[in-house]
Amino acid sequence: MLVKALLTILLLLLVFTRVKPGAAFAAWHHLSLTGFLIAGAIYCAAWAVASYKWKLLLPQHSWLELLKLNFIGQYYSTLFPGQIAGEIVKTYRMGRGRQDAEQIAASVIIDRITGLLGLLGVAIAGVIFSRSALDRRVIWTLVPLATLLLLALFCLKLRWWSDLLRSFTDRSERFGAPVGRLMDAWKRYLDQPGLLFVSIVLGASFQLIAVLINIHFA
């Protein structure tokens, strides 16, 4: 968290070395309340799509419950450096005392990975089809990242890797059983490639809706 906080500060300093702070704050005064309300509506629409995406993985839970938890997760992700804090809070609050806690944890992980794949898909398409003067070489970073995420998503389909994880979990009396159930829940999702594909598409849709906020302010 300390490293992330320092990196955030350094990135902000980098921005202000390239942008005149006075001009930036002057531009701020031209923004209207209506403009902020429209941006807020777009933001809520994006998270409505994200919550529907999560509900596909947890059909037994209501969409409103998942939307509420997503907003709670966003609060903690903003309060603490990095998105992982929000994901942990979501998993803990939802899975506490429930018999399907491992499935909830697996759904959060799958939801996160497919969301990142959607993000990378949008980025790759943006680099390919953009008319701006983008450095096309960046695609050689994005494609390997997407490949690594796909491998992470389907890693439990690799028998040797699955057996290796099982051997570690079997040695732990406290964590062995829960981690084993988490792996079983993960594998059940992997047996539904159509569901995972739709989840990735919805992840891309979430990113595209969120981009509208930038377009709106621009």
Side-chain angles (χ1 to χ4, degrees):
M1 288 180 63
L2 179 61
V3 171
K4 289 178 180 178
L6 290 173
L7 284 174
T8 302
I9 293 169
L10 288 172
L11 287 171
L12 286 172
L13 290 173
L14 177 64
V15 168
F16 282 113
T17 60
R18 296 169 180 262
V19 175
K20 295 179 180 178
F25 287 116
W28 177 275
H29 291 295
H30 292 288
L31 300 175
S32 64
L33 176 60
T34 303
F36 277 107
L37 291 175
I38 292 172
I42 297 172
Y43 178 83
C44 291
W47 281 104
V49 171
S51 300
Y52 177 71
K53 172 178 176 290
W54 192 12
K55 180 171 172 56
L56 292 179
L57 301 173
L58 290 175
Q60 69 273 28
H61 294 272
S62 73
W63 173 80
L64 279 175
E65 178 189 9
L66 299 179
L67 179 63
K68 174 185 174 183
L69 284 164
N70 268 327
F71 280 130
I72 291 172
Q74 278 301 292
Y75 169 75
Y76 282 97
S77 295
T78 305
L79 188 66
F80 298 103
Q83 290 285 325
I84 191 65
E87 305 299 327
I88 292 172
V89 169
K90 279 165 45 177
T91 306
Y92 174 75
R93 287 179 69 109
M94 194 173 187
R96 182 176 49 188
R98 296 184 62 99
Q99 291 185 344
D100 61 345
E102 288 80 15
Q103 183 190 358
I104 291 169
S107 76
V108 171
I109 296 170
I110 299 291
D111 182 59
R112 186 66 177 162
I113 294 175
T114 54
L116 288 171
L117 283 167
L119 170 62
L120 287 172
V122 169
I124 291 168
V127 171
I128 293 173
F129 297 108
S130 176
R131 296 177 183 177
S132 302
L134 293 172
D135 188 346
R136 297 291 191 242
R137 289 175 298 179
V138 74
I139 202 166
W140 298 113
T141 302
L142 298 174
V143 171
L145 280 174
T147 304
L148 286 173
L149 277 174
L150 278 171
L151 288 173
L153 180 62
F154 288 96
C155 64
L156 293 182
K157 280 290 187 181
L158 302 172
R159 186 176 181 83
W160 65 269
W161 177 247
S162 180
D163 291 343
L164 181 63
L165 289 176
R166 288 285 184 187
S167 67
F168 280 113
T169 57
D170 289 344
R171 296 174 189 173
S172 174
E173 295 181 2
R174 182 176 180 182
F175 298 108
V179 173
R181 291 193 293 269
L182 172 65
M183 291 172 60
D184 291 337
W186 192 322
K187 285 181 177 179
R188 287 195 293 272
Y189 285 124
L190 297 184
D191 291 333
Q192 305 174 70
L195 175 66
L196 297 177
F197 175 75
V198 172
S199 186
I200 293 172
V201 170
L202 288 173
S205 301
F206 168 82
Q207 297 297 335
L208 289 171
I209 295 172
V211 165
L212 288 177
I213 298 175
N214 298 72
I215 295 173
H216 167 68
F217 281 127

